[in-house]
Amino acid sequence: MINGVIFDMDGTLLDTERVLIRCWIKSAALHGFEMKEQHALNIRSLQYRFAEPYLKRVFGESFDYMAIRETRKQLFAEELQKNGIPVKQGVLPFLQFCKEQQIPTVVATATPKDRATRYLEEVGFLPYFTEIFGSNQVKTGKPFPDIYQAAAQSINCAPSDCMAFEDAPNGVLSAFYAGCKVVMIPDLSQPDEMLQPFLYAVAPNLEQAIPILKEAIQHG
């Protein structure tokens, strides 16, 4: 049975991954490093304790991760302030379906809770969620399962009774290893052969994922 739904935020609910990628590349350039798109893609949903050593392996020990991340955060905030927060297609119909079915919904995001809450409030999604879990609330972030385990516990559900929606490989692994049924809503990455065994299903957007959830509710 599906007794809860857990969402990633960036790239799943909010169309912010492209903005983040641009800001990482621009920030790195301002600090003298030529970051490629793939480098930025590889650290999506990745907690800083894993992202920092990865980028130092790529660029060397002189890569000042914390300073570059701080610049990236400033650039990201400026772009959102200028252009608003873009949302992904089909989110509202999906959230409305969950509300109609009285299914608790939780956000499990690599973004800190206070900022995630502010973003979701700004776009009008916040009232639909029972709880928001940010990366600063767990010891070990994605791709480890802690945040999905905590999200499931917050609604008194076993992870195996939760369906998780993710767009990025690191998030898919986090939800899968927590024990959730993982539906991928591809954004900047497609489900390749290596990722397929971790997926319950794939849908192009959340609205088209409603039948997947409905089937799981009806037939387990």
Side-chain angles (χ1 to χ4, degrees):
M1 293 296 294
I2 299 300
N3 295 316
V5 172
I6 308 174
F7 300 90
D8 170 57
M9 187 180 74
D10 293 293
T12 303
L13 298 172
L14 306 182
D15 197 6
T16 44
E17 289 285 20
R18 289 167 179 79
V19 183
L20 283 163
I21 297 299
R22 287 198 305 271
C23 291
W24 267 117
I25 293 171
K26 185 175 180 180
S27 177
L30 290 170
H31 288 264
F33 294 92
E34 189 179 353
M35 181 182 283
K36 302 295 185 184
E37 182 175 312
Q38 191 58 48
H39 300 139
L41 286 172
N42 287 344
I43 60 172
R44 281 172 304 156
S45 297
L46 205 60
Q47 194 177 41
Y48 75 90
R49 61 189 291 188
F50 306 115
E52 182 173 13
Y54 164 74
L55 291 171
K56 284 184 180 292
R57 287 196 301 272
V58 173
F59 297 107
E61 287 299 317
S62 63
F63 188 90
D64 189 341
Y65 174 81
M66 298 307 290
I68 294 170
R69 187 178 76 157
E70 193 60 35
T71 302
R72 190 274 298 163
K73 287 164 63 176
Q74 293 171 5
L75 293 169
F76 184 68
E78 289 168 5
E79 184 150 346
L80 293 188
Q81 185 174 19
K82 179 181 178 182
N83 300 315
I85 301 173
V87 302
K88 295 292 291 184
Q89 181 181 351
V91 175
L92 197 54
F94 191 97
L95 293 176
Q96 289 170 338
F97 174 78
C98 290
K99 185 175 182 180
E100 290 165 5
Q101 298 296 315
Q102 298 184 320
I103 301 172
T105 55
V106 186
V107 173
T109 175
T111 299
K113 179 177 179 174
D114 58 343
R115 200 174 338 134
T117 302
R118 188 169 72 249
Y119 292 164
L120 293 168
E121 184 174 28
E122 187 170 330
V123 298
F125 294 162
L126 190 60
Y128 290 94
F129 297 110
T130 304
E131 185 58 84
I132 311 293
F133 271 91
S135 58
N136 58 323
Q137 293 174 272
V138 293
K139 182 178 179 180
T140 310
K142 300 176 185 180
F144 285 79
D146 303 37
I147 195 164
Y148 275 95
Q149 291 169 339
Q153 186 178 21
S154 75
I155 51 173
N156 299 312
C157 283
S160 58
D161 293 333
C162 293
M163 186 166 280
F165 292 85
E166 275 280 357
D167 72 292
N170 288 320
V172 167
L173 295 176
S174 175
F176 177 84
Y177 287 123
C180 301
K181 296 174 177 65
V182 189
V183 179
M184 188 173 183
I185 311 294
D187 184 36
L188 300 180
S189 295
Q190 295 299 314
D192 58 20
E193 288 185 10
M194 290 184 63
L195 209 57
Q196 287 290 348
F198 302 100
L199 299 175
Y200 179 84
V202 178
N205 59 61
L206 276 170
E207 186 168 13
Q208 292 187 51
I210 293 174
I212 297 169
L213 178 57
K214 189 180 294 186
E215 176 74 13
I217 292 169
Q218 292 172 347
H219 302 291

